[in-house]
Amino acid sequence: MPGKGGVRALVVEDEPAWQQIVVEILDEFGLEVDVAGDVDAAIALLRESAHRLAVVDLALGEGQAANKDGLRVLEAARRHDPGCATILLTGFATVELAVRVLTDYGALSCVEKGTFDRGAFCALVGQALALAPVQATALSTPPGARPAQSAAMREGGVAVQAPAARGTSHAGTAAGGKVLIVEDESGWREILSELLEEAGYQVRACSSYAEAVGHLRREPPTLAVVDLSLSRSPWSREAGSDLDGYRVLQAARDLGVASIVVSGIAATGDIGRAYAEYGAFSYVEKQTFDRRLFLQAVADACAARQEDQKLADLTAREIEVLALLAQGKTNKDIADALVISTNTVKRHLKAIFDKLGVHTRAAATAKAIGAGLSGPSCS
């Protein structure tokens, strides 16, 4: 079509109704849209022309859940049209499938038909086009659609699915508190958000260093889940670099917020740096992502953070008493070391037990050892 700048998109979908929906949206962005209904036609189009974006249905054919011909199209796009961003559209989404699509096939996102939301999808298309600024500058944002930046920076992050399907959980406090997800890839934001919300956490998600620091300072969460590389975000402080994730870890540490890294960067040096320099609680590789292990890491990190907060409530004198208790000292030993009476030691121990939520010396000692407390240098 003349007048559209020659920037092409591909829709690979065998259902006419879905073809129409997606084509209309892409046409509003000013894209020249090619349409294919099967794998062979899609591959032929990918070989014939360069495309900026491809929206691909998972099941091409009879529509059975076992049909995954769309994955063949994603692989063909990687081989024949490497500059093409891809979005998988499916009625048969699972966490495992979404992880595979993002990790093995390099797709931008995996969108469920059952919870499809036009506004959110427009935001996702805008983000895909923003990944190639030279080509995207000729494109217009359709009337009524949120620009990719404002969608990414609104409260709660970019919602790839319908917002109604991804609300804030009311069980978040009981499950372990609030979690901030800092991830510039919308597909991974969606996977992590969905897993955590289903587990009962209160989730906020954002895509850049600037947004993350704002959330951390306004309302510090229990835990921050951070991608090291935020370079895919057009609003990263240093687009094209891998430094912003480390800055988020530092900001979290400065504010006393626990952190977990979920990243595609798996170099030994980067992993060691996240642990040694920024105090990350755990490091999860995207390439080998396992939802059970991820949720366990989150639960452990939140539990550890809650214990740290309990210890933070202790006074300096109570810390001294607890450290001596952890060394196996008796009340008299503690009194002699701190030059206080045994009755004062008993009062301190009662306050310590109440704050830590324990009832015995052994339990208090276990918490002290777990926190790495050592006795003060008192004679």
Side-chain angles (χ1 to χ4, degrees):
M1 278 181 263
K4 291 196 175 183
V7 182
R8 309 185 74 87
L10 174 63
V11 175
V12 186
E13 172 62 70
D14 60 339
E15 296 182 40
W18 278 103
Q19 278 185 6
Q20 181 178 353
I21 291 171
V22 178
V23 169
E24 285 180 356
I25 291 173
L26 297 182
D27 187 67
E28 290 174 354
F29 274 88
L31 293 160
E32 293 186 28
V33 183
D34 296 324
V35 179
D38 57 56
V39 175
D40 293 338
I43 293 176
L45 287 168
L46 288 166
R47 286 174 169 169
E48 179 181 319
S49 305
H51 297 84
R52 182 64 215 102
L53 173 68
V55 181
V56 183
D57 184 24
L58 175 65
L60 299 170
E62 298 301 317
Q64 300 298 321
N67 184 311
K68 294 182 174 58
D69 283 349
L71 298 182
R72 294 171 56 193
V73 178
L74 296 182
E75 180 58 33
R78 285 166 63 93
R79 290 200 312 269
H80 304 301
D81 199 355
C84 179
T86 54
I87 297 172
L88 188 73
L89 186 64
T90 177
F92 308 105
T94 64
V95 169
E96 289 75 17
L97 172 66
V99 169
R100 184 182 175 196
V101 167
L102 299 175
T103 303
D104 295 344
Y105 296 92
L108 177 65
S109 190
C110 181
V111 178
E112 293 185 46
K113 290 182 176 179
T115 55
F116 184 85
D117 177 82
R118 184 185 180 93
F121 185 76
C122 284
L124 183 59
V125 171
Q127 183 185 7
L129 300 177
L131 295 177
V134 174
Q135 292 179 323
T137 53
L139 304 177
S140 59
T141 300
R146 298 184 181 96
Q149 180 174 356
S150 61
M153 297 185 72
R154 74 182 188 272
E155 289 293 311
V158 173
V160 180
Q161 313 300 343
R166 288 270 326 277
T168 300
S169 169
H170 295 291
T173 302
K178 299 174 182 178
V179 179
L180 174 66
I181 297 171
V182 189
E183 169 62 69
D184 64 326
E185 296 186 51
S186 59
W188 277 102
R189 265 199 316 274
E190 181 68 19
I191 290 172
L192 300 175
S193 295
E194 184 174 321
L195 285 173
L196 292 172
E197 286 176 355
E198 288 180 353
Y201 294 91
Q202 293 178 358
V203 178
R204 289 197 182 280
C206 60
S207 62
S208 70
Y209 166 83
E211 296 171 80
V213 171
H215 285 302
L216 287 167
R217 290 179 177 174
R218 285 195 304 271
E219 191 176 1
T222 307
L223 175 69
V225 177
V226 181
D227 180 21
L228 288 184
S229 175
L230 300 176
S231 57
R232 291 188 68 174
S233 169
W235 316 284
S236 172
R237 271 184 58 183
E238 295 188 12
S241 75
D242 291 331
L243 298 178
D244 280 355
Y246 289 116
R247 290 192 178 95
V248 174
L249 293 178
Q250 183 62 57
R253 187 172 192 177
D254 290 346
L255 292 168
V257 175
S259 62
I260 287 178
V261 174
V262 178
S263 181
I265 299 175
T268 302
D270 291 299
I271 296 172
R273 183 181 176 191
Y275 281 122
E277 296 184 32
Y278 300 98
F281 183 85
S282 185
Y283 195 110
V284 178
E285 296 181 15
K286 288 181 177 178
Q287 294 88 336
T288 56
F289 185 85
D290 180 285
R291 61 172 154 177
R292 182 184 62 81
L293 296 178
F294 168 69
L295 289 174
Q296 186 60 58
V298 170
D300 291 345
C302 287
R305 176 59 186 144
Q306 289 172 343
E307 290 304 314
D308 289 343
Q309 290 175 327
K310 290 178 181 178
L311 286 169
D313 289 337
L314 299 181
T315 66
R317 178 62 89 184
E318 288 166 354
I319 290 290
E320 291 179 319
V321 171
L322 179 60
L324 289 168
L325 179 69
Q327 294 179 10
K329 303 294 186 181
T330 65
N331 287 4
K332 185 177 185 306
D333 293 333
I334 296 172
D336 291 342
L338 300 179
V339 194
I340 56 178
S341 69
T342 55
N343 285 335
T344 301
V345 172
K346 290 178 182 178
R347 286 197 298 273
H348 284 314
L349 288 175
K350 182 181 185 305
I352 291 169
F353 289 3
D354 289 343
K355 291 178 180 179
L356 297 184
V358 299
H359 303 286
T360 66
R361 297 171 74 93
T365 296
K367 289 186 180 291
I369 294 173
L373 286 182
S374 58
S377 54
C378 300
S379 56

